[in-house]
Amino acid sequence: SSGINAEWPLRPGLPSIVDEVLKSVVAKYDASELITQRDAVSNSVADDLTRRAETFGIFLDDISITHLSFGAEFARAVESKQVAQQEAERSRYYVEKAEFEKAATIMSAEGDAEAAKMLSKAFDKVGDSLIELRKMEAAEEIAANLAGSRNVVYLPKDKGMLLNLPA
């Protein structure tokens, strides 16, 4: 039996076997895997090519993929896929953010409802005295603000001092 050496020309079927095996192996991986799993792709090509060549009586000692390049259309497809994945991630982030904000709004509304119930119970217990207290506190704050202003003049309520008009 004679072996293949560098001087001996390739058998006519070998290039078609190589193309067939390469297409078969490459079809098993997506674009990013071809780049990131280069060793696995290379091993798969070597195994399949060795097995296929043996059926033709060709025995391969070593197979190396030394240059792996992609066409412009393939590169655009990979880039488009990456952009689509990034947009999907961004959309997923916005959905999660909206769900979080919805939950926060619901919690806030439930808290406000509980506070309103507590205030209602307090008003039932003490009557209108709490409201009257809040009115006095507000009036006190307004009077303090007005007292600090230079443009305020105090007039007695029961005296018609302004142009001698009846009160």
Side-chain angles (χ1 to χ4, degrees):
S1 84
S2 64
I4 299 177
N5 62 34
E7 290 82 33
W8 192 67
L10 292 175
R11 290 191 178 181
L14 191 58
S16 66
I17 294 171
V18 172
D19 286 346
E20 174 188 319
V21 168
L22 283 172
K23 287 178 183 176
S24 169
V25 170
V26 166
K28 296 176 187 174
Y29 296 91
D30 67 30
S32 61
E33 291 173 335
L34 287 172
I35 296 167
T36 60
Q37 299 180 18
R38 197 178 200 129
D39 289 340
V41 173
S42 182
N43 291 337
S44 185
V45 167
D47 293 343
D48 290 3
L49 189 56
T50 300
R51 233 183 345 272
R52 188 78 171 104
E54 284 176 358
T55 63
F56 291 93
I58 301 170
F59 300 94
L60 305 172
D61 290 334
D62 187 36
I63 299 170
S64 296
I65 299 177
T66 57
H67 181 69
L68 182 62
S69 63
F70 304 101
E73 184 176 320
F74 184 79
R76 281 192 298 274
V78 170
E79 183 179 343
S80 294
K81 181 181 177 184
Q82 289 173 340
V83 167
Q85 286 175 331
Q86 290 171 352
E87 288 176 0
E89 284 295 318
R90 186 178 306 119
S91 295
R92 190 174 7 264
Y93 166 76
Y94 287 131
V95 167
E96 288 174 3
K97 181 181 176 189
E99 288 173 354
F100 177 77
E101 289 173 352
K102 176 183 170 185
T105 302
I106 289 170
M107 283 185 201
S108 176
E110 288 172 349
D112 290 348
E114 187 63 28
K117 285 179 189 175
M118 292 170 73
L119 281 174
S120 176
K121 286 179 184 177
F123 289 143
D124 288 344
K125 281 185 181 176
V126 296
D128 292 339
S129 59
L130 184 59
I131 295 173
E132 291 301 319
L133 176 65
R134 294 285 188 241
K135 283 181 182 178
M136 288 190 293
E137 288 172 348
E140 213 173 75
E141 185 179 336
I142 292 169
N145 287 338
L146 289 176
S149 175
R150 295 184 303 172
N151 297 330
V152 176
V153 175
Y154 296 98
L155 299 174
K157 180 181 175 187
D158 55 346
K159 306 279 193 241
M161 298 191 61
L162 190 61
L163 303 175
N164 286 330
L165 296 174

